[in-house]
Amino acid sequence: MKTTIIAACLLLCGYLNAQTYSLEVNMSGFKNNKGKVKVGLYTSETSFLKVTFLSLDASIKNNQAKVMFKNLEKGEYAVSIYHDENNNNEMDKNFFGIPKEAYASSNNAKGSFGPPKYTDAKFIVKEDTTLHITID
């Protein structure tokens, strides 16, 4: 009997530790439906806007788009999006390095004289979560 109880506790602990969540990202404010939106999910300040943890593309309909990240562990994340109007899979920038395509981040974080900061864009996933991001 004691062995059965210990085994049940271990299975329950394993289930609780393995629990994952989904993150739905709803985006609006696109100026047109051309191209696609590129969505990057980040897990740390050092990787933010450099190396994505996960990335997804979505088509734009009625100036809106949606993606769903699944099987995420509980933790801290940030999202960055950009409107790849010409479908070249990169954010186009001008001579000075300023983006020519619209972009935004989670929490609608804005940068001043540069990109938004991770600390402004981060959020916690501890249950199924939905974000709303408005692109400029």
Side-chain angles (χ1 to χ4, degrees):
M1 179 72 168
K2 193 175 188 181
T3 306
T4 305
I5 292 172
I6 291 172
C9 287
L10 288 174
L11 283 172
L12 180 61
C13 289
Y15 170 76
L16 293 175
N17 286 335
Q19 196 165 13
T20 60
Y21 306 98
S22 63
L23 170 65
E24 181 178 306
V25 182
N26 294 306
M27 299 156 281
S28 61
F30 296 95
K31 67 180 181 180
N32 60 53
N33 296 322
K34 294 179 188 175
K36 62 188 166 205
V37 60
K38 306 282 282 180
V39 184
L41 183 65
Y42 303 87
T43 57
S44 71
E45 187 169 5
T46 55
S47 68
F48 187 57
L49 303 179
K50 295 177 184 87
V51 179
T52 57
F53 170 66
L54 294 171
S55 62
L56 295 171
D57 296 353
S59 57
I60 302 165
K61 293 180 181 137
N62 299 320
N63 299 6
Q64 299 178 14
K66 179 185 348 182
V67 297
M68 177 80 76
F69 292 98
K70 296 181 179 181
N71 300 317
L72 297 178
E73 293 183 5
K74 183 172 157 181
E76 186 177 272
Y77 298 91
V79 170
S80 178
I81 68 172
Y82 75 92
H83 185 180
D84 186 13
E85 280 190 78
N86 58 4
N87 271 323
N88 67 350
N89 293 316
E90 59 184 52
M91 178 183 272
D92 296 329
K93 298 177 182 173
N94 68 17
F95 178 75
F96 298 104
I98 298 169
K100 292 169 40 176
E101 295 176 307
Y103 64 94
S105 294
S106 43
N107 300 329
N108 290 309
K110 305 278 186 220
S112 55
F113 300 106
K117 294 182 177 5
Y118 178 79
T119 54
D120 296 331
K122 70 181 179 177
F123 58 92
I124 303 293
V125 169
K126 59 184 176 186
E127 61 189 0
D128 290 343
T129 303
T130 301
L131 295 180
H132 300 278
I133 299 176
T134 303
I135 196 161
D136 295 330

